[in-house]
Each structure stands twice: as C-alpha cells, then as structure tokens.
Amino acid sequence: MNINVAYYDSPIGLIMIEAKNENIIRVSFVDIATLSENASPILEKAKKQMAEYFEGKRKEFDLQMAFEGTQFEKKVFKALTEVEYGKVATYKDIAIKVGHNKAYRAIGGTNHKNKLAIIVPCHRIIGSNGKMTGYASGIWRKTWLLDHEKKNSTD
C-alpha cells in the first residue's frame, strides 16, 4: 500500500497531494517539496482539477477520497463538501446539518482535522458572527479562497 505524492504550485502556495489505493488521502499546503513525486492516474486527475479550481473553472471536485476519522467526523466532512462554491456556512449550520445542533466546538475541532484542504472546503466555514475563524493554513489563505470563489461564482 504505497502512498503516491504529487505537488501543485498554486497562487497561494505549494500544495502536496497524497493518494493511496486510488483515493486522495491528503491535500495540504507545504513550504517545500520534500518527497519525490510518483505519477498515478488519481494524482494527475487531482492536479488537473486543482488547476481548474484555481483558474475559476471548477466549482466541485470529482475525486475518490478516503475520509479518516470517527463516524461523526466523517459526517462533518461529507457535510462540508455540500457547502456550495462561493457560499459560506457557520459552524452552527454544519452542526444542525449533521444532527448535533449544539456541537459547534466539535465541528470546529473536526474542521481542524480536515486532511483534504480545498477539496473538502472547510475554508467555507465561518463564525456565526460572520468573522473568519481558524484555518490551519492561515486566515489569509481562507480569505483568498473565499474571495476567489466569490469572484468566480455564477450567482
């Protein structure tokens, strides 16, 4: 069970994409490429879709992903993928969506565990007061991603 790695040089930093058994398992911002790239069909597809996203052409990702975590966390990750491109939701919105109306903090903790940046769009989740809150890759990236989506949204 090899893990294959590819890199995508985005406008907001280098992104490392990891795959195992034709599933994307991690998408994260890195400072430098520390591992050798291994070509695989799923990684090529992921890089292509990432390029389309940053060009403003792709609104949804069509990639096989492997979510890691508890059943609750997996429900949260799935709910995050349902937040529309160019839109935002609150931690409370996600808590209600997964059937745990008061689990705001747990939603925040789960967002922090998201290993699939951009593809599982935790950057679309904001505080109920409308403020940009926690993003492991930096609030500036979260702001950039939301602005990018708003600019390229058809609504």
Side-chain angles (χ1 to χ4, degrees):
M1 286 204 239
N2 282 345
I3 294 177
N4 295 313
V5 175
Y7 294 94
Y8 177 75
D9 194 9
S10 84
I12 54 173
L14 187 63
I15 296 173
M16 182 171 71
I17 307 167
E18 297 176 64
K20 182 167 73 173
N21 297 332
E22 294 306 308
N23 289 302
I24 301 297
I25 61 168
R26 184 180 301 254
V27 176
S28 55
F29 289 95
V30 295
D31 293 326
I32 57 171
T34 56
L35 302 171
S36 297
E37 285 194 76
N38 328 68
S40 80
I42 189 69
L43 288 173
E44 291 307 313
K45 185 176 179 181
K47 285 173 63 172
K48 181 178 187 286
Q49 289 189 21
M50 198 63 67
E52 293 167 349
Y53 171 83
F54 281 104
E55 291 165 2
K57 297 175 183 171
R58 176 165 291 276
K59 312 295 189 235
E60 294 178 23
F61 289 89
D62 178 27
L63 298 165
Q64 188 67 32
M65 298 173 279
F67 295 119
E68 294 179 8
T70 66
Q71 286 304 107
F72 172 79
E73 290 168 345
K74 289 176 183 179
K75 274 176 87 171
V76 171
F77 296 142
K78 183 173 180 335
L80 294 174
T81 66
E82 295 167 1
V83 177
E84 290 182 42
Y85 181 94
K87 307 282 187 198
V88 293
T90 65
Y91 294 98
K92 180 179 181 179
D93 295 333
I94 300 300
I96 291 168
K97 185 160 185 81
V98 300
H100 294 274
N101 298 1
K102 305 237 184 248
Y104 322 132
R105 290 184 193 270
I107 300 300
T110 299
N111 271 11
H112 187 69
K113 293 178 182 179
N114 179 16
K115 294 181 180 180
L116 296 161
I118 302 171
I119 294 173
V120 175
C122 62
H123 62 274
R124 295 180 188 152
I125 309 306
I126 60 172
S128 56
N129 60 2
K131 291 192 176 180
M132 297 293 160
T133 57
Y135 189 63
S137 299
I139 294 294
W140 73 271
R141 280 194 177 110
K142 180 175 187 160
T143 302
W144 191 97
L145 291 166
L146 291 173
D147 289 346
H148 169 72
E149 290 182 5
K150 195 173 291 182
K151 180 178 73 177
N152 291 293
S153 182
T154 54
D155 289 348

